[in-house]
Amino acid sequence: MLSLNRTTRVFLKTGVTDCRLGFDGLFAKVKDEMGEDPTSGFYFAFCNRGKTRLKILSFDGSGLVLYIKRLERSTFAWPKDGKSEIDPSEFQALLAGLEVRNRRGWFRLPLPAAQGAATATVAEACAASSTAKW
């Protein structure tokens, strides 16, 4: 499990990363392309071309740890170029399926029906809220 607090540093490898890479390939990307020390204990996140898979490389003191997440619906909001460091709270929101749109606030992406949650598209939710009388 990821342990994130205010002092945790999280780096995103912007753009597309081949998610077939394992420990050694991602270690080399962090060292060569990002210019960071992979054994620093920071979190380094990588995303595939379809923005549906996320890999996080970290060093826990005794060895490398690789976390993997695959979204079943929607995509990650991933930057296209440059090296990016984000706040741990923003990273937790990214992992939870939240994203910021036009700085208007957070919204939660609908869960699939297989998990028992009511599914409504964002458009339906917006339409329902605009017709509701307060």
Side-chain angles (χ1 to χ4, degrees):
M1 179 143 197
L2 295 174
S3 62
L4 298 171
N5 57 37
R6 287 183 285 149
T7 61
T8 304
R9 293 184 70 186
V10 179
F11 294 95
L12 302 181
K13 170 62 176 84
T14 58
V16 176
T17 301
D18 183 3
C19 277
R20 294 176 291 180
L21 295 175
F23 290 100
D24 297 328
L26 295 176
F27 187 92
K29 282 205 175 282
V30 170
K31 193 173 183 182
D32 299 336
E33 294 180 19
M34 297 175 74
E36 296 289 337
D37 179 20
T39 60
S40 62
F42 304 147
Y43 291 107
F44 301 96
F46 306 88
C47 193
N48 70 338
R49 181 176 307 277
K51 298 179 185 172
T52 58
R53 295 172 195 240
L54 181 74
K55 285 193 173 185
I56 305 162
L57 183 71
S58 181
F59 185 77
D60 70 351
S62 63
L64 290 173
V65 180
L66 187 63
Y67 302 96
I68 302 170
K69 180 162 185 169
R70 179 183 74 187
L71 290 179
E72 296 298 325
R73 294 179 62 176
S74 89
T75 58
F76 291 109
W78 206 257
K80 293 184 181 188
D81 50 2
K83 185 177 93 172
S84 178
E85 181 177 2
I86 64 171
D87 186 68
S89 61
E90 293 173 341
F91 187 60
Q92 284 180 326
L94 177 72
L95 290 175
L98 300 172
E99 67 182 75
V100 178
R101 297 241 175 159
N102 299 329
R103 297 186 181 263
R104 295 180 68 182
W106 295 96
F107 73 94
R108 181 129 174 96
L109 298 173
L111 295 174
Q115 293 181 358
T119 58
T121 64
V122 175
E124 291 170 348
C126 290
S129 66
S130 65
T131 59
K133 295 182 182 176
W134 300 94

